[in-house]
Amino acid sequence: MKFMLCMLLMIGAMGAAAETPITAVAKTPDGNQVVLGSQLGVEIRTLPDLTVIGKLATNLEHAHDLKFSPDGQTLLVAGGSPAESGRVEVWNWTQRERTRQVHEHADVVYRVAWSPDGTHWLACSGDGRCTVFSEAAQVRVTQYDGHSRGVLAGLVLDERTLITAGMDQTIRLWKSADGLHLRTLDNHVGTVNEVAARPSQRGESVDVIASISEDRTVRLWQPRIGRLMRFVRLASIPRCVDWSSDGTKLYVGCNDGLVRVIDAETMAIEAEINGLVGRIYDLEIDSTSGKMITAGETGVRFISVR
């Protein structure tokens, strides 16, 4: 009996000491802090030492995504309860005040994305639907219903075009004004976990996006014409992806805790960086400092990428 009691106490202590997985990370507009989302809510920590200095009083059961508006004044906090509800909280970042809560989905909102001009934002949900909201009018503008399963990823390519992807293994392009389906990219043979647009280069007229999937591939596309440019297969499932500011490299966080640095021209893996122990759920590159924030199963790290 004493042995069993000791074992239970040890297990309880281990559980209490374990890190809560962090599923979302966003560097603050001034670059001095980072906002983290998890099942415990939303924390604010300093950079580079990652000291907790505050929390946002979110009502979400789980915060899955965090996105600052282009002007840095507004923070979207997305999440919800699996198979029950999906919500997005809109926060005035300067005042640290929640201005409203949008409840349009019947499952978790996994991803939000701002339009380049900050007038609209996109929400992607596990219920298979995507919605676009007007920030100024504070109303839903359009809804997209083409996915057959949950939507995990999305981005606003420009004021005219949206891209979404998810569990049905497809990447879909939509006309943002009326929700017209434009094209489907279906080369992946597993859930698409994230999509990311290459930063615009001066004088460049060709859009390029990267997609990562449970099929362990990273693929580059010219989405408007439906062209798969090239791909690479990884040794571990990729969970998150970010571009370097000049669009020459991809940083891919994987299940094995490594961040793989990929040359976007050749798709060669240039380096493997120890990001965390366990899965990496989100990452963000700070090209100014040459640092990277990684978040996942065992917390968060601020590490060098050079």
Side-chain angles (χ1 to χ4, degrees), residues 196-202 204 206-209 242-250 287:
R198 184 173 69 182
S200 299
Q201 305 301 308
R202 183 173 297 178
E204 184 180 60
V206 178
D207 293 306
V208 175
I209 67 167
D242 198 8
W243 288 85
S244 62
S245 60
D246 60 6
T248 63
K249 300 182 189 300
L250 290 161
S287 299

Side-chain angles (χ1 to χ4, degrees), residues 111-182:
R111 190 70 63 190
V112 284
W114 287 92
S115 64
D117 61 5
T119 61
H120 295 77
W121 50 270
L122 167 70
C124 304
S125 171
D127 64 12
R129 296 184 296 122
C130 303
T131 47
V132 176
F133 297 87
S134 167
E135 177 61 15
Q138 300 185 14
V139 296
R140 187 181 73 188
V141 176
T142 316
Q143 179 173 297
Y144 306 84
D145 296 300
H147 285 280
S148 61
R149 298 181 65 190
V151 186
L152 304 182
L155 60 87
V156 182
L157 196 60
D158 56 34
E159 276 71 24
R160 303 184 308 277
T161 313
L162 305 173
I163 296 178
T164 59
M167 296 179 183
D168 63 3
Q169 306 179 11
T170 68
I171 302 166
R172 296 175 184 264
L173 278 69
W174 311 88
K175 187 177 178 182
S176 58
D178 55 14
L180 177 67
H181 177 238
L182 299 173

Side-chain angles (χ1 to χ4, degrees), residues 49-253:
D49 57 343
L50 297 173
T51 300
V52 178
I53 59 171
K55 292 187 176 183
L56 299 184
T58 176
N59 290 325
L60 297 176
E61 180 180 323
H62 194 144
H64 270 277
D65 199 18
L66 303 162
K67 286 293 189 303
F68 281 99
S69 58
D71 64 6
Q73 299 300 306
T74 304
L75 174 66
L76 301 178
V77 182
S81 304
E84 293 183 6
S85 67
R87 300 193 301 277
V88 179
E89 295 182 350
V90 183
W91 287 77
N92 179 311
W93 179 247
T94 303
Q95 302 296 323
R96 304 293 196 274
E97 183 176 87
R98 184 174 54 237
T99 58
R100 66 186 186 280
Q101 183 170 259
V102 178
H103 188 177
E104 292 271 350
H105 290 277
D107 205 336
V108 173
V109 174
Y110 286 103
R111 190 70 63 190
V112 284
W114 287 92
S115 64
D117 61 5
T119 61
H120 295 77
W121 50 270
L122 167 70
C124 304
S125 171
D127 64 12
R129 296 184 296 122
C130 303
T131 47
V132 176
F133 297 87
S134 167
E135 177 61 15
Q138 300 185 14
V139 296
R140 187 181 73 188
V141 176
T142 316
Q143 179 173 297
Y144 306 84
D145 296 300
H147 285 280
S148 61
R149 298 181 65 190
V151 186
L152 304 182
L155 60 87
V156 182
L157 196 60
D158 56 34
E159 276 71 24
R160 303 184 308 277
T161 313
L162 305 173
I163 296 178
T164 59
M167 296 179 183
D168 63 3
Q169 306 179 11
T170 68
I171 302 166
R172 296 175 184 264
L173 278 69
W174 311 88
K175 187 177 178 182
S176 58
D178 55 14
L180 177 67
H181 177 238
L182 299 173
R183 186 180 299 277
T184 297
L185 311 175
D186 57 3
N187 292 65
H188 281 295
V189 292
T191 293
V192 182
N193 291 326
E194 191 167 10
V195 291
R198 184 173 69 182
S200 299
Q201 305 301 308
R202 183 173 297 178
E204 184 180 60
S205 59
V206 178
D207 293 306
V208 175
I209 67 167
S211 63
I212 59 172
S213 168
E214 295 283 326
D215 63 15
R216 294 193 292 109
T217 65
V218 182
R219 298 175 187 261
L220 294 189
W221 310 81
Q222 291 177 342
R224 295 190 192 278
I225 61 174
R227 177 176 174 242
L228 174 62
M229 300 168 63
R230 45 195 171 269
F231 73 94
V232 63
R233 190 175 302 278
L234 305 180
S236 181
I237 293 173
R239 290 283 160 202
C240 51
V241 59
D242 198 8
W243 288 85
S244 62
S245 60
D246 60 6
T248 63
K249 300 182 189 300
L250 290 161
Y251 296 86
V252 182

